[in-house]
Structures are given as structure tokens and as C-alpha cells.
Amino acid sequence: MDPASPALPTYSAITLNINGEKHTLTADHRTTLLDALRERLDLTGSKKGCDQGQCGACTVLVDGRRAVACLQLAVAAEGREITTIEGVAEGDTLHPVQQAFLDLDGFQCGYCTPGQICSAIAVIEEHAAGWPSAVTDDVRPEAGPPQLTADEIRERMSGNLCRCGAYVSIVRAVARAAETAAGTEEPRAVRTGESAPAAQDKEAAA
């Protein structure tokens, strides 16, 4: 850069569309979406855990897709539809994932829960759309969505850590919410914690 050239600005006025509402603020270009949410907009439901994109506590939805807000720059989120934990309920009616976590004790201290819930909402939508995971046996598009077994849920939720170790209840809560969304019975493999083949063998022998 020419030493005589004026310094480029390091701040910009941006407008973020969060939970259906527009928020305009002046932000440093280095400000993460997580810091903008928590420190500038007082939306503190998204938690700061590792601040390195490893724990998932800050997970939000950006255009319906999961994003770790600690690695997303706020300026890069302008013009996107952002949903935080504060925006998933409909008034006083909890989202089915929130209700399932509450009913099945899918939390202990609750610090990771907002990120777990946002991630689970996306997991259910991704599964319904037929997206495979690393443990999906048949990834052909014509095979359709795989059975949402406990192994599938664990793999799809593996980016969200729970230091209290509430994973068993989290898996059941995701399965319950997926059941509610699909209007079907919760898979036996998820209810019992068995592998899908073992559960099928028991049902066949019954």
C-alpha cells in the first residue's frame, strides 16, 4: 500500500437479520457473530465456550444451516437469516426440540443446551432432506433418508460437546423431536439404545 494512501476503515455499519428482526450496528470488521450477538445486541443465549469452533456451544442457524458463531464474522452474516436460541420458540410455545430436551432431561448445567438445540433443529431438517452422515450405510440419493438410529444422531450431533455427559438423554430428545416432526413412532433402536439390527432381530422374534 502506498504510504500516502489513507488508511482503510476497520469499522462498518451493518444490518443483521436476527430472529426476524433487523438490527443495525457499527462493528469492527474482526468482530465475530458471537460477540456481536452477546456483547452488542444482548442476545446471550448463544454461549462462548472454546471460542475456536470446537465445542458447538455457540451454534446458531444461518439461512437454516448450522454455523458456529465464534468463527463467523459479523460482517459476513449481513443479508443472511440468522436464528438464535431466542428465536426458535413461537411465543410461549416451545419448539418441539426444546420441549423434547425439557421432557427427557437432555441437559444438566444447561450451558451447552442452546447450541445443542439449534444443532438438533438443523439435524432433523438435514435428515428429512435425505442428507447422509458418516455412518450412513447407503448414501445413494434414491435410498432416501436413512433410519434415524442412535448412531446416526450421535454422529450428526458430534460437533456439540456436553461436558456434563448428558449424551444419552440428548440422543433421546433429538429422536423424540424428529418423531414429532415426522408424526411417526420413535425408532425402537433409539428408545432402547440398541443397534438397529439388534432391535430389528428382537422385534422379529417377538
Side-chain angles (χ1 to χ4, degrees):
M1 178 183 293
D2 185 345
S5 299
L8 295 174
T10 59
Y11 286 79
S12 293
I14 61 174
T15 300
L16 300 177
N17 189 352
I18 304 170
N19 302 327
E21 297 183 3
K22 293 187 182 300
H23 301 264
T24 299
L25 64 154
T26 300
D28 187 301
H29 296 161
R30 299 164 295 179
T31 301
T32 64
L33 178 57
L34 178 61
D35 284 340
L37 291 171
R38 291 182 57 83
E39 308 299 334
R40 302 295 304 281
L41 300 175
D42 201 29
L43 293 169
T44 56
S46 304
K47 304 305 184 188
K48 181 175 284 193
C50 65
D51 211 25
Q52 297 179 350
Q54 298 294 316
C55 72
C58 65
T59 303
V60 297
L61 303 177
V62 178
D63 291 339
R65 299 280 297 275
R66 291 182 276 180
V68 282
C70 71
L71 296 185
Q72 171 94 52
L73 292 176
V75 293
E78 190 171 24
R80 315 286 291 276
E81 295 284 342
I82 302 164
T83 304
T84 69
I85 189 65
E86 290 90 346
V88 301
E90 292 287 343
D92 293 332
T93 303
L94 294 179
H95 188 283
V97 173
Q98 291 177 302
Q99 190 64 58
F101 269 69
L102 184 62
D103 292 344
L104 297 173
D105 294 327
F107 56 89
Q108 287 189 36
C109 79
Y111 194 82
C112 72
T113 307
Q116 298 275 1
I117 288 173
C118 286
S119 190
I121 290 170
V123 161
I124 292 168
E125 293 179 354
E126 291 164 8
H127 172 261
W131 294 12
S133 77
V135 299
T136 301
D137 292 328
D138 191 344
V139 299
R140 296 174 302 161
E142 59 268 25
Q147 183 183 4
L148 196 59
T149 62
D151 284 343
E152 281 281 353
I153 295 172
R154 281 191 287 266
E155 170 60 29
R156 293 168 187 265
M157 292 290 294
S158 61
N160 291 80
L161 304 183
C162 174
R163 290 179 173 85
C164 296
Y167 294 113
V168 172
S169 295
I170 289 170
V171 169
R172 293 199 63 200
V174 176
R176 171 75 62 82
E179 167 197 354
T180 300
T184 59
E185 182 183 358
E186 185 177 359
R188 176 182 172 87
V190 175
R191 295 198 309 269
T192 62
E194 298 170 322
S195 65
Q200 291 167 358
D201 290 345
K202 285 191 175 181
E203 287 178 347

